[in-house]
Amino acid sequence: MQTAITQFSSWCLENELAISTGKTNYILFSKMVRSPKITWNGYKINRVKSFKYLGIHVDDRLNWLEHINKQGEKAIKMQQNLKRIAGDNWGISQIHGWTLYKTVIERMLAHGSSAWCLNPTFKM
């Protein structure tokens, strides 16, 4: 691996390209406990457990847990920002909110309950 990095480094020098070692990381898809030491022109390259590529979080175990956790954190942050903007009552009074619930939401839930429940105990 180090010889491949050395060859790539010499190619970069020939083509006048610079690599930012501070931003460069690597991920190891293996169950090795001790990771290999990788250097770029004497600078140590850090190992990471996960990275983000095109909006998808990839971890070293190649499962979706990291991505799902990050998406959950993002959704919670967006909900908190929206709540901060709209306020606790979402811009409508309590009386109007109750009317909206009774006329729209409760009826939609009652209508959908026939599809969700085989033996409903409550009928409108």
Side-chain angles (χ1 to χ4, degrees):
M1 182 174 16
Q2 193 63 45
T3 57
I5 291 174
T6 305
Q7 287 177 352
F8 185 64
S9 176
S10 62
W11 181 85
C12 288
L13 285 174
E14 290 172 10
N15 293 294
E16 299 177 4
L17 295 173
I19 301 295
S20 174
T21 55
K23 296 179 183 178
T24 305
N25 299 314
Y26 77 95
I27 189 166
L28 184 64
F29 299 105
S30 174
K31 293 184 180 183
M32 292 176 60
V33 176
R34 186 175 166 158
S35 62
K37 303 282 186 224
I38 299 175
T39 58
W40 179 281
N41 294 335
Y43 293 100
K44 182 183 173 210
I45 306 297
N46 295 324
R47 179 181 177 187
V48 293
K49 298 283 185 184
S50 66
F51 66 94
K52 183 178 177 182
Y53 183 70
L54 297 176
I56 298 180
H57 295 271
V58 180
D59 65 349
D60 59 355
R61 288 175 273 146
L62 292 175
N63 62 21
W64 290 100
L65 186 60
E66 179 77 17
H67 181 72
I68 291 169
N69 287 340
K70 294 292 183 180
Q71 292 300 314
E73 291 172 10
K74 184 178 175 181
I76 289 171
K77 219 182 272 187
M78 290 175 74
Q79 186 264 343
Q80 288 172 346
N81 288 338
L82 187 60
K83 186 176 179 184
R84 190 177 303 123
I85 292 168
D88 289 336
N89 59 4
W90 294 87
I92 58 175
S93 67
Q94 188 175 7
I95 295 170
H96 290 113
W98 182 249
T99 305
L100 185 66
Y101 172 78
K102 291 298 276 182
T103 57
V104 178
I105 297 170
E106 190 176 77
R107 291 175 189 223
M108 289 179 74
L109 289 173
H111 178 71
S113 67
S114 62
W116 302 326
C117 181
L118 295 176
N119 297 319
T121 58
F122 175 77
K123 292 185 181 182
M124 287 190 87

